[in-house]
Amino acid sequence: MGMAAIGLFGGGLFARAFGRASPELPAADLDRMRREFALDGKSKRSTLRLFREMLAPAFFDGVDEMRARLIAQRPVRVVWGRNDPYIPSRWAAAFEGATSLDVLGNHGHWTPITAAAEVAAAIRAIVGDR
């Protein structure tokens, strides 16, 4: 029901609630998400399917080992938005052994959008200007 309701009023309910949870999002990005998600049945169905899969107890089995293996094999730089309302910044510490950890204070869940320059700089610091 909730996924159906987010498209009501042209996605206005979604935009209002989502905008409150992610106030750092520029209006243009919020409007794009409203159009491409709240008003798109295929996007809503695939997101709902993903959320249901993530609720299964075994969904994240092996993630800790995979993360540790990747960090041991490759340089990893974590860039996290301190104000993420969905995944708290304390989870950034789960990347123990990462090359570096940058927790950006004025950003939230959408850090790659709202801090694109900082994220790009973090990537370039590891891979260079290829």
Side-chain angles (χ1 to χ4, degrees):
M1 290 291 285
M3 291 303 263
I6 66 173
L8 294 176
F9 306 109
L13 294 175
F14 167 82
R16 188 172 344 149
F18 201 69
R20 276 193 218 128
S22 302
E24 74 280 5
L25 275 175
D29 287 310
L30 184 59
D31 186 56
R32 179 181 52 80
M33 290 176 182
R34 179 192 61 80
R35 286 189 326 272
E36 295 176 3
F37 176 71
L39 299 178
D40 181 44
K42 188 186 299 184
S43 293
K44 289 189 290 188
R45 284 190 303 278
S46 66
T47 300
L48 186 56
R49 186 172 45 248
L50 174 64
F51 288 166
R52 286 180 179 148
E53 289 175 13
M54 290 173 62
L55 293 175
F59 184 79
F60 289 103
D61 285 356
V63 168
D64 293 334
E65 294 81 13
M66 179 185 66
R67 183 180 54 241
R69 187 176 62 253
L70 289 172
I71 288 172
Q73 294 173 353
R74 302 279 187 267
V76 173
R77 185 165 185 164
V78 178
V79 180
W80 205 282
R82 180 181 318 277
N83 299 326
D84 189 329
Y86 309 109
I87 306 170
S89 60
R90 64 182 163 82
W91 284 100
F95 292 86
E96 185 176 339
T99 305
S100 68
L101 170 62
D102 303 313
V103 179
L104 305 179
N106 292 325
H107 298 280
H109 191 70
W110 305 101
T111 298
I113 293 173
T114 62
E118 291 95 329
V119 172
I123 294 168
R124 278 194 295 277
I126 289 180
V127 300
D129 287 322
R130 296 181 190 179

